[in-house]
């Protein structure tokens, strides 16, 4: 089973992006093992902190290193991805020569209540991931306009159209990781 490190760009407990990550994990549990990383204790990137490294930094870097791929699940704030995600990328690419994203398959998804479902922020995030030397899945894209009626109280999909859309994305993501990593 392929291991996926999941970075959710919202720290809010009831984040719809965290819910989306759980929905995707449930849909793919027969082929992908999702590990949603805890990012709330990751300090803002500061070069001075390498002298007394906060425990969150090596923990997160190790979780990403051990994963077969990375999934970024981010809301869109002000037409961009979140500082939480950028901060994790900054820590993960440092120090020079120890970039945990380099050569790693990566996918970007997100949801918002708005009509374009995080599309602009995702495109910006993809360009940053390319600079981090991640191998980014291009298609299919997953820009989800979050509608509560698509899910029940336990975040299970009740809309067949949404289920079909998300299942298609999961299948393509699985195939992408296999192609890039060579891991069935």
């Amino acid at each position: 089973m392929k291991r996926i490190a999941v970075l959710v760009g919202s720290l809010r407990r009831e984040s719809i992006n965290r819910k989306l990550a759980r929905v995707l994990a449930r849909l793919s549990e027969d082929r992908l093992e999702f590990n949603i990383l805890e990012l709330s204790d990751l300090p803002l990137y500061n070069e001075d902190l390498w002298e007394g490294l906060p425990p969150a930094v090596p923990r997160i870097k190790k979780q990403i290193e051990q994963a077969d791929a990375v999934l970024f699940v981010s809301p869109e704030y002000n037409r961009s991805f979140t500082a939480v995600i950028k901060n994790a990328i900054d820590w993960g690419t440092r120090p020079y020569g120890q970039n945990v994203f380099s050569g790693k398959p990566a996918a970007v998804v997100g949801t918002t209540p708005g009509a374009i479902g995080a599309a602009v922020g995702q495109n910006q995030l993809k360009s940053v991931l390319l600079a981090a030397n991640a191998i980014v899945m291009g298609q299919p894209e997953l820009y989800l306009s979050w509608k509560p009626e698509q899910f029940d109280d336990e975040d299970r999909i009740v809309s067949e159209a949404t289920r079909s859309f998300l299942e298609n994305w999961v299948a393509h993501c699985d195939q992408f990781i296999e192609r890039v990593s060579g891991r069935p």
Side-chain angles (χ1 to χ4, degrees):
M1 184 165 307
K2 297 174 202 80
R3 297 173 314 245
I4 313 303
V6 181
L7 283 74
V8 176
S10 173
L11 300 177
R12 194 169 63 90
R13 278 186 307 276
E14 293 302 314
S15 160
I16 59 176
N17 281 275
R18 187 170 303 281
K19 290 178 181 186
L20 176 59
R22 289 192 302 260
V23 165
L24 292 172
R26 199 175 288 133
L27 277 177
S28 62
E29 63 191 0
D30 61 331
R31 58 186 123 179
L32 303 173
E33 178 185 326
F34 280 43
N35 177 21
I36 299 175
L37 306 187
E38 180 56 54
L39 301 178
S40 65
D41 59 343
L42 189 63
L44 288 176
Y45 184 80
N46 178 342
E47 193 79 26
D48 294 339
L49 295 179
W50 285 105
E51 296 170 12
L53 202 57
V57 174
R59 181 191 76 230
I60 288 168
K61 286 182 69 99
K62 183 176 182 180
Q63 290 171 320
I64 294 168
E65 285 173 350
Q66 293 175 338
D68 297 307
V70 182
L71 174 62
F72 294 84
V73 186
S74 184
E76 181 175 295
Y77 295 166
N78 300 313
R79 299 285 189 242
S80 186
F81 61 96
T82 68
V84 172
I85 293 290
K86 179 64 167 77
N87 189 48
I89 293 169
D90 289 345
W91 280 111
T93 57
R94 307 273 189 308
Y96 182 78
Q98 296 178 31
N99 177 358
V100 297
F101 299 108
S102 187
K104 182 88 58 180
V108 177
V109 302
T111 187
T112 65
I116 60 173
V120 178
Q122 285 187 41
N123 284 329
Q124 289 186 359
L125 176 52
K126 287 175 185 177
S127 69
V128 171
L129 291 173
L130 291 172
N133 201 35
I135 303 170
V136 181
M137 181 173 131
Q139 295 293 325
E141 295 175 309
L142 198 168
Y143 309 131
L144 184 66
S145 179
W146 186 270
K147 306 274 188 269
E149 61 272 11
Q150 297 169 321
F151 306 92
D152 67 15
D153 291 339
E154 295 177 15
D155 300 325
R156 289 185 300 242
I157 304 167
V158 295
S159 162
E160 283 310 312
T162 302
R163 176 182 306 285
S164 176
F165 175 67
L166 295 178
E167 284 176 344
N168 178 60
W169 184 88
V170 166
H172 279 86
C173 184
D174 182 40
Q175 293 166 5
F176 170 77
I177 295 166
E178 190 169 318
R179 228 179 14 260
V180 171
S181 70
R183 182 142 195 263

